[in-house]
């Protein structure tokens, strides 16, 4: 199985955005609006991922959620991150 | 999805409504908090500092500060600076009377800060009947200071029977300052209980207001009017009561309630002087009850997914029950009409 995080993108929070971990995954807040975004990522991603130091692939490889059964979940997380990027909540770097 | 996730309970509120003092230099006839004199045992500066630090540690995103008049507290700017330094965004509701040129300049320099200034009529006659004689002119002077100093602000209007005919004029006033108009719902708590019969918008006005909102996307309502708004507008904001799920209210003396409109003994979660804020958020029985609240009578309503029963506070102040339908939702209004 290939890492579903693809292409080595790092993400960081856009100015005015914040994120915190919740039982369901990640809760994003952006000062613009203000707006709230729920990402049902479970324990796949932590807040520190958005410090921009690791790619999604790095995170995936070293994580405990890299088994075959997690592939679909990773794909959903990746799509959610791209959606947040398009909305300006996070930035690709 | 957000509704179900929030019902399960977040680790901390998304935002906290903080009535930082009950002291006020006005006696507005609809004031939800019946503000005027200070409340007994208001939190000290040191207690406020600790609270701000607790919220920042919990990763509360935003603190919505009202009162009373927040700027009447001598330590208020220090508290704002502390909140911003710890990453909290603040949104302050003010009557504007203490905002002079120097304060406007100071506020304009704050990055994590929103300001809402109350104006309840487009003319002195209407505004001053609600907020007090001479306030219209004084608020406009404050708005001039804010605009000249480049501060971002919105004008907040509580919709009443008296100012409904002036909504367009209020929108134009806001536009003239390059500000947004934010229309809030009249809630029959505090002094609003006594003025409800005279001030609450009529059924016809509320229904017409719902249609007016559809034509003015830039007019904001916070979450006040989700019981009235359409699917299109619903997507732009919170579509359910967030009390105890996403938000809660802290009183000037440290009492924690599900929302600012339910500051009654029956809804008291506890006081931060005897419990940590986090423990009250996690373990309060009344918060657990609010999170599981289902307005069962509304479940078959075609608009259920859009308002989920509406505002429990309005239901409570109308029927003394939080589990009954909001009497001012779009469906109930049409039935009444």
């Amino acid at each position: 199985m290939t890492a579903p995080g693809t292409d080595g993108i790092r993400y960081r929070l856009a100015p005015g955005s914040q994120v915190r971990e919740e039982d369901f995954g990640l809760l994003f807040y952006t000062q613009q609006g203000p707006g709230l975004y729920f990402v049902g990522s479970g324990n796949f991603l932590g807040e520190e991922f958005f410090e921009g130091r690791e790619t999604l692939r790095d995170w995936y490889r070293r994580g405990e959620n890299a088994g075959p059964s997690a592939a679909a979940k990773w794909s959903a997380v990746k799509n959610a991150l791209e959606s947040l990027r398009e909305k300006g909540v996070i930035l690709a770097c | 999805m957000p509704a179900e996730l929030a019902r399960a309970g977040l680790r901390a509120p998304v935002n906290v409504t903080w009535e930082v003092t009950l002291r006020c230099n006005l006696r507005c006839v609809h004031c939800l908090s019946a503000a005027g004199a200070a409340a007994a045992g208001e939190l000290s500066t040191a207690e406020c500092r600790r609270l701000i630090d607790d919220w920042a540690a919990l990763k509360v995103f935003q603190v919505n500060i009202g009162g009373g008049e927040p700027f009447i507290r001598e330590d208020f700017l220090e508290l704002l600076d502390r909140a911003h330094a710890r990453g909290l965004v603040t949104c302050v509701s003010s009557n504007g009377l203490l905002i002079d040129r120097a304060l406007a300049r100071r506020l304009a320099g704050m990055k994590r800060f929103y300001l809402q200034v109350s104006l309840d009529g487009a003319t002195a006659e209407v505004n001053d009947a609600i907020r007090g004689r001479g306030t219209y002119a004084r608020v406009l002077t404050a708005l001039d200071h804010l605009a000249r100093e480049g501060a971002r602000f919105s004008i907040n209007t509580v919709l009443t029977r008296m100012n409904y005919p002036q909504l367009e004029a209020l929108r134009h006033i806001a536009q003239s300052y390059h500000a947004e108009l934010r229309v809030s719902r009249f809630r029959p708590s505090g002094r609003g209980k006594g003025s409800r019969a005279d001030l609450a918008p009529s059924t016809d006005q509320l229904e017409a207001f719902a249609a007016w909102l559809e034509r003015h996307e830039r007019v904001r309502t916070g979450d006040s009017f989700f019981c009235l708004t359409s699917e299109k507008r619903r997507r732009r904001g919170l579509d359910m009561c967030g009390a105890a799920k996403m938000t809660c209210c802290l009183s000037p003396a440290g009492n924690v309630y599900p929302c600012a409109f339910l500051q009654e003994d029956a809804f008291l979660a506890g006081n931060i002087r005897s419990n940590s804020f986090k423990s009250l958020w996690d373990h309060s029985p009344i918060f657990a009850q609010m999170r599981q609240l289902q307005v069962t009578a509304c479940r078959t309503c075609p608009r259920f997914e859009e308002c989920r029963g509406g505002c429990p506070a309005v239901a409570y102040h109308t029927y003394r029950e939080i589990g009954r339908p909001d009497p001012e939702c779009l469906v109930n209004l049409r039935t009444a009409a």
Side-chain angles (χ1 to χ4, degrees):
Chain A
M1 188 184 71
T2 57
T6 70
D7 51 20
I9 295 177
R10 294 178 176 84
Y11 293 97
R12 62 181 170 82
L13 294 172
S17 293
Q18 300 181 54
V19 62
R20 78 176 188 221
E21 292 171 21
E22 291 286 348
D23 291 344
F24 60 81
L26 295 171
L27 180 60
F28 289 84
Y29 162 95
T30 179
Q31 208 173 329
Q32 278 68 44
L36 267 187
Y37 301 92
F38 293 72
V39 175
S41 50
N43 61 352
F44 279 47
L45 282 178
E47 292 167 12
E48 63 271 30
F49 173 73
F50 297 93
E51 292 168 3
R53 289 197 298 265
E54 291 182 280
T55 65
L56 197 54
R57 183 185 295 125
D58 295 336
W59 188 276
Y60 170 79
R61 283 177 175 160
R62 76 169 175 78
E64 297 172 359
N65 298 299
S69 62
K73 187 81 173 179
W74 272 109
S75 180
V77 168
K78 179 189 151 194
N79 291 339
L81 294 179
E82 271 305 291
S83 173
L84 289 174
R85 188 190 59 76
E86 287 167 8
K87 293 182 171 102
V89 181
I90 58 176
L91 303 171
C93 54
Chain B
M1 181 172 76
E4 291 314 309
L5 296 177
R7 196 179 295 284
L10 301 180
R11 293 180 180 178
V14 167
N15 61 59
V16 176
T17 299
W18 184 13
E19 295 197 344
V20 75
T21 181
L22 205 57
R23 287 163 63 199
C24 193
N25 43 0
L26 292 181
R27 300 290 186 275
C28 303
V29 296
H30 61 359
C31 178
L32 70 97
S33 307
E42 292 198 354
L43 298 179
S44 68
T45 302
E47 288 173 313
C48 291
R49 288 183 191 133
R50 279 198 296 276
L51 199 53
I52 287 168
D53 293 354
D54 286 349
W55 287 334
L58 290 171
K59 302 208 77 168
V60 171
F61 296 130
Q62 182 170 323
V63 183
N64 299 328
I65 304 175
E69 169 53 40
F71 289 109
I72 218 166
R73 268 191 81 123
E74 294 77 5
D75 57 3
F76 187 56
L77 290 176
E78 178 209 319
L79 297 175
L80 274 184
D81 286 341
R82 189 180 189 91
H84 299 154
R86 280 152 181 72
L88 293 164
V89 173
T90 62
C91 178
V92 174
S93 296
S94 169
N95 62 33
L97 266 57
L98 296 175
I99 299 176
D100 58 13
R101 192 76 181 260
L103 180 55
R105 187 174 305 132
R106 180 92 149 77
L107 299 177
M110 293 180 176
K111 300 282 184 256
R112 295 175 178 268
F113 175 74
Y114 295 99
L115 178 66
Q116 298 176 357
V117 181
S118 296
L119 186 67
D120 284 328
T123 59
E125 181 188 12
V126 170
N127 177 80
D128 292 4
I130 295 170
R131 308 192 67 79
R133 185 181 298 178
T135 55
Y136 181 80
R138 294 175 69 186
V139 170
L140 290 193
T141 300
L143 299 183
D144 288 341
H145 289 316
L146 290 163
R148 281 201 198 99
E149 294 299 330
R152 284 189 315 150
F153 64 91
S154 60
I155 291 175
N156 190 59
T157 300
V158 175
L159 186 67
T160 63
R161 189 168 302 192
M162 294 169 70
N163 64 26
Y164 169 78
Q166 299 188 328
L167 276 176
E168 270 299 310
L170 283 160
R171 194 172 68 83
H172 288 301
I173 289 173
Q175 273 183 340
S176 73
Y177 288 105
H178 303 289
E180 289 179 324
L181 175 65
R182 183 179 187 277
V183 185
S184 295
R185 190 171 176 188
F186 180 94
R187 299 300 215 296
S189 61
R191 278 196 287 276
K193 287 179 189 174
S195 56
R196 186 180 196 180
D198 295 327
L199 288 185
S202 69
T203 299
D204 288 346
Q205 286 176 334
L206 284 169
E207 200 165 357
F209 172 69
W212 184 83
L213 274 180
E214 291 305 298
R215 299 195 296 274
H216 299 293
E217 281 199 4
R218 285 179 54 83
V219 173
R220 302 177 68 86
T221 58
D223 62 352
S224 296
F225 282 109
F226 61 87
C227 63
L228 281 179
T229 52
S230 68
E231 172 72 12
K232 180 179 75 174
R233 200 173 171 98
R234 181 174 76 98
R235 291 171 190 272
R236 301 175 63 231
L238 191 60
D239 61 351
M240 54 179 252
C241 166
K245 305 179 197 78
M246 299 201 190
T247 187
C248 65
C249 172
L250 189 92
S251 80
N255 285 339
V256 178
Y257 299 95
C259 92
F261 308 104
L262 287 174
Q263 295 187 61
E264 309 256 340
D265 288 347
F267 300 98
L268 176 63
N271 188 285
I272 55 122
R273 284 179 170 131
S274 47
N275 302 88
S276 73
F277 179 84
K278 171 71 171 162
S279 70
L280 294 173
W281 175 260
D282 284 344
H283 304 303
S284 157
I286 187 63
F287 277 28
Q289 185 186 337
M290 292 294 293
R291 287 171 189 143
Q292 296 308 316
L293 181 66
Q294 302 271 0
V295 185
T296 50
C298 295
R299 289 202 72 90
T300 56
C301 174
R303 276 181 53 85
F304 180 72
E305 289 301 319
E306 290 167 53
C307 91
R308 298 169 202 278
C311 174
V314 174
Y316 178 78
H317 291 293
T318 305
Y319 308 117
R320 310 304 285 180
E321 285 181 46
I322 54 171
R324 291 184 60 175
D326 187 326
E328 294 174 352
C329 80
L330 211 49
V331 171
N332 286 337
L333 284 176
R334 285 171 182 159
T335 304

